[in-house]
Amino acid sequence: MAVVGSQSRRTEMNWATICCSAFSCLQLYWARLVIRKWFNVSSFDSDYSADTDDDRLSLSGSQDFDPRSSGATNDDDCPKLRRRNSETFRVQYIDTQAVRICAGTWNVGGRVPPADLDIDGWLDTLEPADIYVLGLQEIVPLNAGNIFGIEDDQPASEWENIIRDALNRVRLRNPKSLCHSDPPSPSMFKPYKEVSHNVQDMFLETRHGVCDTFFSCERPIVSEDSLTNIEVLDSTNDNASPSMQINSDSQREERLSYNERVGLSWPEPPLKLLNQYVLERRGGAFKSLNLSIMNLRKPAYVRIVSKQMVGVFLTVWVRRSLRKHISNLSVSTVGVGIMGYIGNKGSVSVSMSIYQTPFCFLCSHLSSGEKDTDHQKRNDDVREIHRRTLFHPHSSSASVLPRSIRDHERVIWLGDLNYRINLSYEKTHELIARKEWQRLLENDQLSNEMRKGNVFEGWSEGVLCFPPTYKYEIDSENYIGDDPESGKRRPAWCDRVIWKGKGMKLLSYRRNEIKLSDHRPVTATFLAEVEVLSLWKLQRALAITYAEIQSQ
């Protein structure tokens, strides 16, 4: 008994030692996390999130995408050459093309978005962009728990879902496939329009061609208003071809023959018309496959990077077809808040190459304050962000890739820059009521500092022809007035989008009227030139060089 009792005590002591060690490791891990957050210490590898190439969303089985590499391979597995600064090289081997970039900023005031929040106007989905650069400030409430504790990424996930849903509703232009036949259409169908997706990208193949017959090259175009469900009916006769039933409010039990489908095309991917089942014939019977729409259709846009630092959040989305042309992706965060390092204020920056052109996108939240001299603190924040933002490229050609903000050829800086208007509360409201934006702009701190060259020297901004974006009553069109706690807040253009670099044309600069927070979101849309390696020019030059060598 004594031996058994001794072994039991040793076992208890061992368990106690293990538990103490585990608890100590957990405390040490938590302490490291907190210290790294407090002093904004980043690991060498950029810790950001991005969409992956999921086979459920990519029926073509494309390979995983690593944007940190020096260049993704294209469809022909042609090597990408590193971009040079030589003008001779550019003329000989480089073409230029334009990409549309939508840059949006919004201080959401720590509010969680409702599931039905409509942000289409903020994203300008009526004129779809190739790239969406979206920055949010105060994505979490700036309380002590969020500033000094572990990062709360749940609100970021909810905002990403809202953004994803909005972008998935976008109708893209420049279709990949066309149907060239366009005979007269039955009255219930619309005329031919361009098809924005390849059929192979949208549908799973079935063994006996049930879907291949229905979704043939001559695809019918059916309005979503008139059709709600398409069901492939079961058949007990193996030799009988499946029929199709269309259920609608206006026309029920109406069937389409093959002849009626010839020469017609879908206006958009017809998967929206599928409810939940696709039938596949196996062994003389149909087997139900419970496939959702998202399992069959690729999303139009993919998220290539999302990064959060306390309340500052930056996310970048690109057209799926553009994804393989993004490379050299790196992220940098700089905290300039409490003690000059805490991330309640600061910036999140992303560096990437779009084709052969290096871009930098920054989202920042600068120091607040309404005093006429508080703009100097914001100027110091900008200088500190410039000084401490460093990128660590992950490719073999890292020595020639940009490492600082100034090294990039195209830069877009957005966020709650917090610059105010140096006018009294009454005078500011008077000019707003008369829509005298130019008079207000003459007293705008950021405009004056840029004009003097004190900060953002050489940068540009669009014309501010909309009312100041701050500070509003929540869920209201009224600026905040007499508040016992905050007092009178002068309206200001706190939310800005500025840029630097050649080859960038501003198409629009505006605000949106979403009343979720005390700020109004702002959007700037650009047309940016990018340099693209021309393979045929390269081949021609190599052929000429080879001919010259052979002639010697």
Side-chain angles (χ1 to χ4, degrees):
M1 292 293 294
V3 174
V4 172
S6 175
Q7 290 178 346
S8 176
R9 283 193 297 273
R10 282 200 299 270
T11 302
E12 292 177 358
M13 291 177 62
N14 289 337
W15 275 109
T17 303
I18 293 173
C19 291
C20 289
S21 299
F23 182 72
S24 299
C25 290
L26 184 62
Q27 282 185 318
L28 181 61
Y29 175 73
W30 183 88
R32 285 178 177 174
L33 284 180
V34 172
I35 292 298
R36 291 178 69 87
K37 178 177 180 179
W38 284 7
F39 294 98
N40 196 38
V41 179
S42 299
S43 60
F44 182 80
D45 294 329
S46 298
D47 50 342
Y48 59 84
S49 60
D51 288 346
T52 58
D53 251 351
D54 193 337
D55 288 339
R56 294 176 305 169
L57 300 179
S58 178
L59 303 182
S60 60
S62 56
Q63 297 178 350
D64 287 343
F65 167 71
D66 185 6
R68 290 175 292 187
S69 63
S70 59
T73 57
N74 59 20
D75 295 337
D76 300 322
D77 286 334
C78 296
K80 281 196 173 183
L81 298 184
R82 190 171 68 245
R83 187 181 175 282
R84 306 288 204 282
N85 291 324
S86 169
E87 290 298 330
T88 303
F89 175 81
R90 297 190 190 193
V91 171
Q92 290 183 346
Y93 308 129
I94 295 294
D95 282 335
T96 59
Q97 69 181 52
V99 295
R100 189 182 180 96
I101 302 176
C102 177
T105 179
W106 190 9
N107 186 320
V108 297
R111 302 197 67 186
V112 177
D116 60 347
L117 181 65
D118 184 1
I119 61 171
D120 289 359
W122 180 39
L123 303 186
D124 194 15
T125 55
L126 293 178
E127 294 289 338
D130 300 302
I131 302 173
Y132 286 90
V133 182
L134 305 174
L136 300 175
Q137 304 83 46
E138 296 188 41
I139 197 171
V140 296
L142 297 184
N143 52 42
N146 287 324
I147 293 175
F148 298 105
I150 301 300
E151 204 112 86
D152 180 10
D153 59 359
Q154 182 60 34
S157 298
E158 297 188 28
W159 278 105
E160 285 177 341
N161 291 335
I162 296 290
I163 295 169
R164 190 185 304 276
D165 290 343
L167 294 180
N168 281 342
R169 294 192 297 268
V170 171
R171 291 189 179 185
L172 296 181
R173 299 176 179 178
N174 301 324
K176 296 180 182 178
S177 62
L178 301 176
C179 186
H180 297 285
S181 58
D182 187 19
S185 305
S187 59
M188 69 176 298
F189 295 111
K190 296 178 182 178
Y192 161 76
K193 289 184 180 179
E194 293 180 345
V195 184
S196 58
H197 295 268
N198 286 325
V199 179
Q200 296 91 333
D201 293 345
M202 295 190 295
F203 305 106
L204 292 174
E205 296 179 355
T206 57
R207 180 177 300 177
H208 292 277
V210 173
C211 291
D212 292 338
T213 301
F214 180 70
F215 302 117
S216 58
C217 176
E218 298 82 16
R219 295 184 294 277
I221 175 169
V222 184
S223 171
E224 283 190 68
D225 298 332
S226 62
L227 300 180
T228 56
N229 291 322
I230 293 181
E231 301 174 357
V232 181
L233 303 181
D234 197 352
S235 175
T236 57
N237 185 358
D238 291 346
N239 297 323
S241 61
S243 59
M244 180 189 70
Q245 178 178 344
I246 299 179
N247 298 328
S248 68
D249 295 335
S250 59
Q251 295 178 331
R252 300 179 184 275
E253 303 298 323
E254 183 164 349
R255 299 167 186 251
L256 302 178
S257 67
Y258 175 79
N259 293 333
E260 288 174 314
R261 297 197 300 269
V262 173
L264 303 174
S265 60
W266 295 94
E268 58 184 51
L271 291 167
K272 289 187 175 181
L273 304 177
L274 292 176
N275 237 3
Q276 53 184 342
Y277 294 105
V278 173
L279 299 179
E280 182 183 22
R281 178 178 296 208
R282 287 185 178 177
F286 287 104
K287 183 177 180 180
S288 174
L289 300 177
N290 190 9
L291 299 173
S292 67
I293 292 175
M294 289 306 296
N295 283 347
L296 293 174
R297 178 185 176 185
K298 290 181 181 179
Y301 290 87
V302 291
R303 177 179 58 107
I304 62 169
V305 58
S306 287
K307 177 63 179 176
Q308 177 181 354
M309 182 189 69
V310 189
V312 182
F313 178 70
L314 181 63
T315 181
V316 181
W317 302 67
V318 303
R319 287 184 190 250
R320 174 172 286 274
S321 60
L322 186 61
R323 182 182 193 175
K324 60 187 175 183
H325 301 294
I326 306 295
S327 58
N328 305 319
L329 200 153
S330 182
V331 174
S332 177
T333 58
V334 174
V336 295
I338 301 171
M339 297 186 292
Y341 282 91
I342 304 300
N344 59 308
K345 294 291 190 293
S347 70
V348 175
S349 309
V350 172
S351 171
M352 67 175 69
S353 296
I354 304 175
Y355 289 98
Q356 312 297 321
T357 304
F359 279 76
C360 182
F361 304 116
L362 298 92
C363 173
S364 66
H365 191 186
L366 305 184
S367 298
S368 59
E370 282 201 318
K371 296 179 181 178
D372 291 345
T373 57
D374 283 341
H375 66 276
Q376 296 175 2
K377 294 190 301 181
R378 294 183 270 275
N379 290 353
D380 292 338
D381 290 346
V382 173
R383 296 187 188 101
E384 192 71 4
I385 290 171
H386 270 290
R387 185 180 69 85
R388 288 166 48 195
T389 297
L390 294 175
F391 300 102
H392 304 283
H394 292 256
S395 70
S396 57
S397 57
S399 60
V400 298
L401 293 174
R403 295 181 58 84
S404 68
I405 297 173
R406 293 182 176 89
D407 292 339
H408 294 79
E409 293 191 6
R410 318 272 193 272
V411 186
I412 296 178
W413 190 318
L414 53 87
D416 181 1
L417 306 188
N418 254 323
Y419 284 92
R420 307 304 172 93
I421 297 174
N422 289 335
L423 290 174
S424 66
Y425 176 88
E426 293 76 12
K427 186 63 176 179
T428 302
H429 275 275
E430 177 186 339
L431 295 177
I432 292 174
R434 299 206 302 251
K435 297 184 179 181
E436 295 189 16
W437 313 131
Q438 184 58 39
R439 291 276 304 279
L440 285 172
L441 193 59
E442 292 171 359
N443 295 276
D444 175 68
Q445 292 178 347
L446 178 58
S447 301
N448 291 333
E449 293 302 298
M450 291 174 66
R451 188 163 46 248
K452 296 174 183 177
N454 294 336
V455 69
F456 292 119
E457 185 175 4
W459 291 65
S460 303
E461 186 183 23
V463 178
L464 293 168
C465 55
F466 49 81
T469 57
Y470 174 84
K471 178 178 185 176
Y472 283 88
E473 297 176 359
I474 302 297
D475 298 323
S476 171
E477 297 180 354
N478 301 321
Y479 289 103
I480 198 165
D482 295 320
D483 189 329
E485 296 182 359
S486 60
K488 292 182 178 181
R489 292 293 183 95
R490 291 175 290 175
W493 283 298
C494 290
D495 310 277
R496 314 288 274 267
V497 181
I498 60 177
W499 79 93
K500 185 176 184 179
K502 298 179 180 179
M504 295 188 65
K505 178 182 179 182
L506 180 67
L507 300 180
S508 67
Y509 192 34
R510 56 186 180 75
R511 67 175 231 171
N512 194 262
E513 301 305 320
I514 308 177
K515 304 178 180 64
L516 182 69
S517 75
D518 55 356
H519 289 251
R520 292 293 183 265
V522 171
T523 306
T525 305
F526 301 90
L527 206 60
E529 269 190 4
V530 294
E531 296 185 343
V532 182
L533 176 66
S534 175
L535 294 180
W536 75 268
K537 283 186 176 181
L538 177 60
Q539 291 171 355
R540 183 182 62 180
L542 292 176
I544 294 174
T545 303
Y546 179 76
E548 291 176 350
I549 294 175
Q550 292 296 318
S551 63
Q552 293 177 357

